Structure formats: C-alpha cells, structure tokens
C-alpha cells in the first residue's frame, strides 16, 4: 500500500515515516520545508534502509497535491502550522495553511477517489476541562486560533463523511508529543526559542540556554505546576500505523492518542535531570497567558479501536530526547 504523508519531514511526520517504512508501506512525502529540512529525509532513509519518494510542494497547491497523490491508497495529513502564540498574531495564515490547505487536500482526494485519511488533530480542541480525563465525548471549545483551525477541520471532515459515507477518516487528537527516535538521528528541532517545555529543558541541559522558566507554581495541582499528558513520539507514530491498518470500513472517528497519565512541569524537569545526569536549572515565573492547569487523556477508545496504547514512560521520553540533543547540539544543521 502506498501512502501520501503530508508534512512527513516534520517532527511527528518523520517518526511516523520510519514506522510506516518498517512495516512495509511505500511512501510519498509531501512537504514545503517551512518548518523542517531535507536532511530529515536522508536520516529516515538511513534508519530504515528504504527510500522514499519526495515532492516539494505547498499543501494549498492542488496541482502539486494531485501529482503526489496519484497512485496512493491513503493519506496521513500532518502538514500545518502549530504554534499557539503565533496563531494569535497571524490568524489568517493559520486558517490559510491549516483549514484551506486541508480543504485543497480533501478536494484532490475526492477527485482521485482516495478515501482513507488520517488527520492530525490536537487535545487543544477540548479547551478548558469540564471533566478529566478527557474522553472523546468531552465538549469541544477552543481558546486560540490554532485550536480553532483544528476544530474547523474536524467539523469539515465530519460534514464530508455525512455527505459521502464511503470516506474512512480517523481524526487523531494528540496530547503532548515529546522524545525522539532511539537512534538519535531524528527528533524535534525547533526554530528559534522553543515554545514547548521539553525542547526548552533539553536546550538548558545542553548549555544552550541558562534556565527553564516554570510558568506558575500556584495552580491547583500536586506541586502547583501545570500537568500534561506527555506521549513519546515513537508511540504516537505507532498509533498512526495502527490507524492506517484499522481504517478499513467507512467512518469518521476522533480518537485520543495519549498515555492517560499526567506529569507536572517539575516532574518533567526532575526526570530530565536524571536522564542527562545533571541538574537542569529552573526558576518560577508568572503563569503563561492562556495555559490550563491540568489535562490528560482517557486513552480507552484507542485501545479498543486500534489495539494501541502508549508503552514508553517519562524516563524513556527524556533519555531519547537527551540522546537526540547531544548528538545534534545545533539541530539538523
Ligand atoms: P512540524 O512543524 O514539525 O511538522 C509539520 C510539517 O509540515 C513541517 O515539515 C512543515 O515544513 C510542513 N508544512 C507546514 N506548512 C506547510 C505547507 N503549507 N505545505 C506543505 N508542508 C507544510 O509539526 P509536528 O509537531 O510534526 O506536527 C504535525 C501535525 O501535528 C501538525 O498538524 C500539528 O498541528 C499537529 N499537532 C502537533 C502537536 C505537537 O505538540 N507537536 C500536538 C498536537 C497536534
Ligand atoms: N511550560 C513551562 N515553561 C516553558 C514551557 C512550558 O513551564 O518554557 C509549562 C506550561 O505552562 C505547561 C507545560 O509546561 O504547563 C506544557 O507546556 P507546552 O508548551 O510544552 O505544551 P502545551 O500543553 O501548552 O501545548 C502543547 C502544544 C499545543 C497542543 C497541546 C496538546 O503546544 O499545540 O500541547 O497537544 F495543542
């Protein structure tokens, strides 16, 4: 089976390409490298010993998508913009790439009669928790433009399925992806200052930055810092393989991909310190605007529908992240 992977050079996409190649899928990767580099593709080939077909294109270019999609049986759609803060400053860009880009992709899929789609959504569609853990039935309400683009796309896909029930769509709602491939060849390489906790910690540990700023220690949590459901990126990648293998009948289903466990910011800093063998310095600073105190998944549906569950623990996430950071102190450059 041949699969089109949009955004396949990115963080989650590259790890998913490795796992798809490992189980024998043929791949076409479609990316414009706006947040990645061609070096990633070489490294995927090095890890797997297999080659991938690559098309450099923009997800808003239907002609380019058509060329890439020709002969494919399914699509995994990662391409998009993902920085919450940037989405507040540039909402139109986020609607353009995320919403309009997905519209273009789905239109071409419709034209070429490709009906299998796995879409990258996010736990951010749940907004402020009404109850925890988040099940897929939790109300959807968003608090920033990035999250809103994910919600609009989800609704568009549900509407599409109602109009044509030959579609096989899985919407995967990721919790907090971290870690790297155990080879240390691929991992997360954020441009500029990292927005997310784990890449920031890794850069402090390697000496690139001085201290982690812990955003608030007065949340109603066990140690006052924010709690999240961290998931190893390789487990997340394996979830996509399961989704592709399972999506054999018409549906449009949203599924959480998380571990079901919550860890605080201080838990993560301590686990990382253990993994890298030195104390990661931090200081408490005021809360970050818009942050939620605590959220984590109920991963039951993924277990039932995909026979999938996260296996790698927080120590493995930190060890693999550190290994990538040490082997690539300047990222992919
Ligand atoms: P990433 O930025 O590493 O990967 C996205 C890839 O898409 C990049 O290689 C980028 O170059 C490409 N891309 C961006 N705009 C494009 C365009 N217009 N045309 C073609 N390619 C384009 O991000 P990631 O962390 O791998 O995230 C992948 C997907 O998962 C995104 O849709 C993101 O919103 C979603 N997601 C990520 C997280 C997270 O914390 N990383 C959490 C939930 C959901
Ligand atoms: N945090 C710090 N210091 C930092 C960065 C983060 O204390 O320098 C804290 C945050 O306040 C939060 C926790 O660490 O309590 C995790 O923050 P991240 O920025 O790593 O992750 P978020 O949960 O805020 O958001 C991420 C992605 C979203 C996605 C969401 C759920 O950025 O796009 O996970 O998947 F929607």
């Amino acid at each position: 089976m041949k699969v089109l992977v949009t955004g396949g050079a990115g963080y989650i996409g590259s790890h998913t390409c490795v796992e798809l190649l490992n189980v024998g899928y043929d791949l076409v990767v479609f990316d414009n490298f706006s947040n990645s580099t061609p070096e990633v593709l070489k490294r995927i080939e090095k890890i797997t010993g297999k080659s991938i077909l690559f098309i450099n294109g923009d997800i808003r270019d239907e002609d380019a998508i058509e060329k890439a999609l020709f002969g494919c049986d399914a699509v995994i759609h990662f391409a998009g913009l993902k920085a919450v803060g940037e989405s507040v400053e540039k909402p139109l860009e986020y609607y353009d790439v995320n919403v309009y880009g997905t519209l273009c992709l789905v239109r071409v899929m419709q034209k070429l009669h490709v009906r299998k789609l796995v879409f990258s959504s996010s736990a951010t569609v749940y907004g402020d928790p009404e109850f925890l853990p988040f099940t897929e039935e939790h109300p959807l309400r968003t608090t920033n433009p990035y999250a809103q683009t994910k919600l609009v796309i989800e609704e568009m896909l549900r509407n599409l399925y109602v109009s044509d029930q030959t579609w096989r769509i899985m919407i995967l709602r990721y919790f907090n992806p971290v870690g790297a491939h155990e080879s240390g060849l691929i991992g997360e390489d954020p441009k500029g200052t990292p927005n997310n906790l784990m890449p920031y910690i890794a850069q402090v540990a390697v000496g690139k930055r001085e201290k982690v700023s812990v955003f608030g220690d007065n949340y109603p949590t066990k140690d006052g810092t924010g709690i999240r459901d961290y998931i190893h990126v390789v487990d997340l990648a394996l979830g996509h393989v399961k989704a592709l293998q399972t999506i054999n009948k018409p549906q449009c289903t949203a599924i959480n991909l998380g571990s079901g466990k919550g860890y605080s910011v201080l838990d993560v800093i301590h686990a990382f310190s253990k993994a890298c063998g030195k104390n990661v310095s931090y200081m408490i600073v005021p809360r970050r605007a818009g942050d939620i105190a605590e959220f984590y998944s109920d991963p039951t549906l993924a277990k039932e529908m995909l026979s999938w569950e996260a296996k790698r623990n927080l120590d493995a996430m930190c060890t693999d992240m550190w290994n990538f950071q040490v082997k690539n102190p300047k990222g992919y450059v």
Side-chain angles (χ1 to χ4, degrees):
M1 183 150 107
K2 194 162 149 191
V3 182
L4 174 65
V5 184
T6 76
Y11 173 46
I12 304 169
S14 57
H15 289 81
T16 303
C17 285
V18 167
E19 300 308 327
L20 290 169
L21 289 166
N22 282 345
V23 293
Y25 286 100
D26 292 322
L27 302 187
V28 180
V29 167
F30 185 91
D31 205 300
N32 69 354
F33 297 125
S34 60
N35 197 35
S36 52
T37 144
E39 173 64 20
V40 177
L41 303 173
K42 288 191 204 145
R43 296 194 183 192
I44 296 171
E45 290 182 335
K46 192 167 170 192
I47 293 170
T48 60
K50 297 189 178 163
S51 59
I52 32 187
L53 199 70
F54 172 71
I55 293 185
N56 188 337
D58 193 293
I59 197 68
R60 294 160 293 182
D61 177 349
E62 290 190 30
D63 292 338
I65 300 171
E66 192 166 335
K67 282 192 195 105
L69 187 62
F70 192 77
C72 292
D73 311 286
V75 177
I76 305 186
H77 179 36
F78 294 105
L81 304 177
K82 63 167 183 177
V84 173
E86 187 185 58
S87 79
V88 176
E89 285 153 30
K90 302 175 182 171
L92 299 185
E93 213 170 297
Y94 274 67
Y95 279 87
D96 195 28
V97 174
N98 293 1
V99 178
Y100 177 65
T102 306
L103 175 66
C104 292
L105 171 68
V106 171
R107 223 159 22 198
V108 178
M109 289 179 72
Q110 198 163 39
K111 183 173 168 190
L112 298 193
H113 305 287
V114 179
R115 289 289 185 272
K116 280 189 193 174
L117 173 65
V118 177
F119 171 65
S120 301
S121 188
S122 167
T124 193
V125 296
Y126 296 123
D128 282 324
E130 214 163 81
F131 57 83
L132 284 172
F134 281 139
T135 65
E136 290 78 2
E137 278 73 45
H138 188 280
L140 304 179
R141 46 168 179 224
T142 61
T143 54
N144 60 70
Y146 164 71
Q148 188 60 25
T149 65
K150 292 292 180 189
L151 186 52
V152 170
I153 297 166
E154 284 203 7
E155 295 297 355
M156 178 173 81
L157 296 176
R158 283 188 273 272
N159 294 160
L160 178 65
Y161 175 68
V162 170
S163 76
D164 172 355
Q165 296 187 9
T166 63
W167 280 90
R168 290 138 201 244
I169 301 172
M170 277 195 188
I171 293 168
L172 303 181
R173 294 182 181 146
Y174 313 153
F175 281 70
N176 288 53
V178 294
H181 191 263
E182 62 175 9
S183 63
L185 283 169
I186 56 171
E188 189 169 15
D189 179 20
K191 290 190 173 145
T193 309
N195 293 310
N196 298 117
L197 178 65
M198 185 82 93
Y200 203 104
I201 293 176
Q203 293 194 2
V204 172
V206 83
K208 204 166 159 184
R209 299 183 192 276
E210 207 189 323
K211 272 182 178 114
V212 180
S213 298
V214 175
F215 298 145
D217 67 348
N218 55 359
Y219 284 107
T221 59
K222 60 174 187 171
D223 61 18
T225 67
I227 288 187
R228 295 291 182 272
D229 179 345
Y230 296 93
I231 172 169
H232 195 297
V233 66
V234 173
D235 278 331
L236 191 59
L238 290 167
H240 290 75
V241 175
K242 289 285 192 183
L244 261 194
Q245 290 169 339
T246 315
I247 196 175
N248 289 321
K249 55 178 201 282
Q251 61 188 292
C252 179
T253 316
I255 304 177
N256 288 339
L257 291 187
S259 74
K261 296 185 191 78
Y263 290 102
S264 73
V265 175
L266 294 182
D267 287 336
V268 178
I269 292 177
H270 294 141
F272 206 97
S273 298
K274 194 171 107 193
C276 71
K278 48 186 150 183
N279 277 333
V280 172
S281 316
Y282 65 89
M283 60 182 174
I284 309 293
V285 301
R287 292 179 179 191
R288 180 170 67 179
D291 266 352
I292 292 168
E294 175 173 26
F295 66 84
Y296 49 93
S297 66
D298 178 339
T300 308
L301 188 64
K303 199 169 175 184
E304 284 171 4
M305 282 196 65
L306 309 179
S307 307
W308 171 92
E309 59 186 324
K311 298 233 164 74
R312 291 158 181 80
N313 63 19
L314 184 62
D315 289 341
M317 297 176 210
C318 295
T319 303
D320 291 338
M321 189 93 179
W322 177 236
N323 184 36
F324 176 75
Q325 185 68 61
V326 169
K327 288 191 171 145
N328 306 272
K330 293 183 179 160
Y332 285 114
V333 183

